[in-house]
Amino acid sequence: MTSGTLPAHTAGRGVAVSLGASLLFAVIFLIAGLLPGWGAEEIFGRRVVLTLATLSCILPFLPWARADARALAVRVRRRPSLLALGLVAAGLVAVQLWLFMWAPLHNMALSVSFGYFLLPLSMVLAGRFFFADKLSVLLKLAVAAAGVGVIHEAITAGGLAWPTLVVCLGYPVYFVLRRKLGFDSLAAFAGELLLLLPLGIYFIVVGPHGIAGSGSSGPGGSGGIWGALSIGVLGGLAMALYLLASKWLPLSLFGLLGYVEPVLLVGVSLYLGESLGWSALLTYGPILLALFLLCVDGRRSSRPLGE
């Protein structure tokens, strides 16, 4: 059975969990922006600890996740040097997790959202350069259209904001490294969080709210404690749903639904008080056209022969 001929009930579940994951990531982004008086580092620490705890409760009940964990353990046991490369991957994803918390607290949510809009295109280029993927005519047109939007943004804003660059350039490096190492699984992500656990605990201990949430009075007080805790739990659930969607959906449909998240992040950014002028149409318009072309190409390439 090909990815393009999955049973309707499986595809339906895949769509539901993909949309659920995108919604949870947007909720995390919103909660982080509504925690005045909290530092991104402390929120990051709680997210690492609680996301790891949540995954520890979920993974044992997923047969494919248990198989991935066993395979990962065998590989690391045979090649202990993989731990060093895993630490590099953990460092790369740590930057992204921290930035996702920092941006909405510092009026940079739109910059991060723009980075997520560019990410699919930067992943296409990464596949071309690191894995010799061939670019179809539609993919070349998509890259060109995205280039128009990027150039316009760079000219009007005096250059791309550094959070945008961290997302659209940093994530491809992270994903390429994971693919090269064979660490492309939810179990591997849990392993990366395990490596980040000491750092997460440190940020919690030195943070103003401490381990038990002491010092929770004032802005972002007791309500902020629950917000920070929910970010960690929702992060674990979102990653589990995201991986389930990748297994249940055809690649083209999975990619298409992945574009729901940056749209939601832009909505969250506007809700938090940032604004877009009319000139943004010349930035986001070509980007949306590029994403549309990318979806069409993915749909065509995933069709079974003879369809």
Side-chain angles (χ1 to χ4, degrees), residues 27-38 43 104-105 219-220 223-224 227 271-272:
V27 170
I28 290 170
F29 204 53
L30 174 62
I31 294 174
L34 296 176
L35 290 178
W38 284 71
I43 303 175
L105 287 170
Y271 178 81
L272 292 175

Side-chain angles (χ1 to χ4, degrees), residues 109-282:
L110 274 176
S111 296
V112 166
S113 303
F114 189 54
Y116 279 95
F117 267 109
L118 294 179
L119 182 56
L121 279 302
S122 61
M123 291 295 291
V124 168
L125 294 177
R128 177 69 182 89
F129 289 111
F130 290 100
F131 299 103
D133 293 347
K134 294 186 180 299
L135 297 184
S136 66
V137 174
L138 283 177
L139 285 182
K140 291 178 181 178
L141 290 175
V143 172
V148 172
V150 171
I151 291 172
H152 178 265
E153 177 68 14
I155 292 175
T156 57
L160 296 179
W162 67 265
T164 300
L165 295 174
V166 169
V167 171
C168 71
L169 299 181
Y171 258 128
V173 175
Y174 168 68
F175 286 123
V176 167
L177 178 61
R178 295 183 92 222
R179 180 71 60 86
K180 292 285 189 182
L181 295 176
F183 284 178
D184 196 9
S185 69
L186 186 58
F189 178 69
E192 291 163 1
L193 292 179
L194 186 60
L195 292 174
L196 293 174
L197 187 59
L199 181 63
I201 293 175
Y202 170 76
F203 281 143
I204 294 173
V205 171
V206 302
H209 302 89
I211 294 178
S214 58
S216 59
S217 60
S222 59
I225 290 291
W226 287 109
L229 295 178
S230 66
I231 283 176
V233 175
L234 294 178
L237 293 175
M239 284 304 301
L241 292 178
Y242 183 80
L243 266 293
L244 281 175
S246 71
K247 291 179 177 293
W248 286 348
L249 288 173
L251 182 61
S252 58
L253 183 54
F254 176 68
L256 172 63
L257 291 172
Y259 304 139
V260 172
E261 182 182 343
V263 174
L264 293 176
L265 295 186
V266 169
V268 170
S269 303
L270 298 178
Y271 178 81
L272 292 175
E274 299 192 46
S275 60
L276 287 173
W278 286 106
S279 65
L281 291 175
L282 296 177

Side-chain angles (χ1 to χ4, degrees), residues 76 81 109 120 123 198:
V76 171
S81 60
M123 291 295 291

Side-chain angles (χ1 to χ4, degrees), residues 38-88:
W38 284 71
E41 292 75 21
E42 186 176 4
I43 303 175
F44 164 83
R46 292 178 184 272
R47 181 177 181 181
V48 167
V49 172
L50 290 171
T51 297
L52 181 59
T54 303
L55 291 179
S56 299
C57 295
I58 295 175
L59 292 181
F61 297 97
L62 301 174
W64 53 268
R66 293 199 303 267
D68 287 342
R70 286 193 296 267
L72 180 64
V74 170
R75 291 193 61 215
V76 171
R77 191 161 52 243
R78 291 175 178 174
R79 290 183 57 194
S81 60
L82 289 176
L83 280 176
L85 296 174
L87 188 60
V88 174

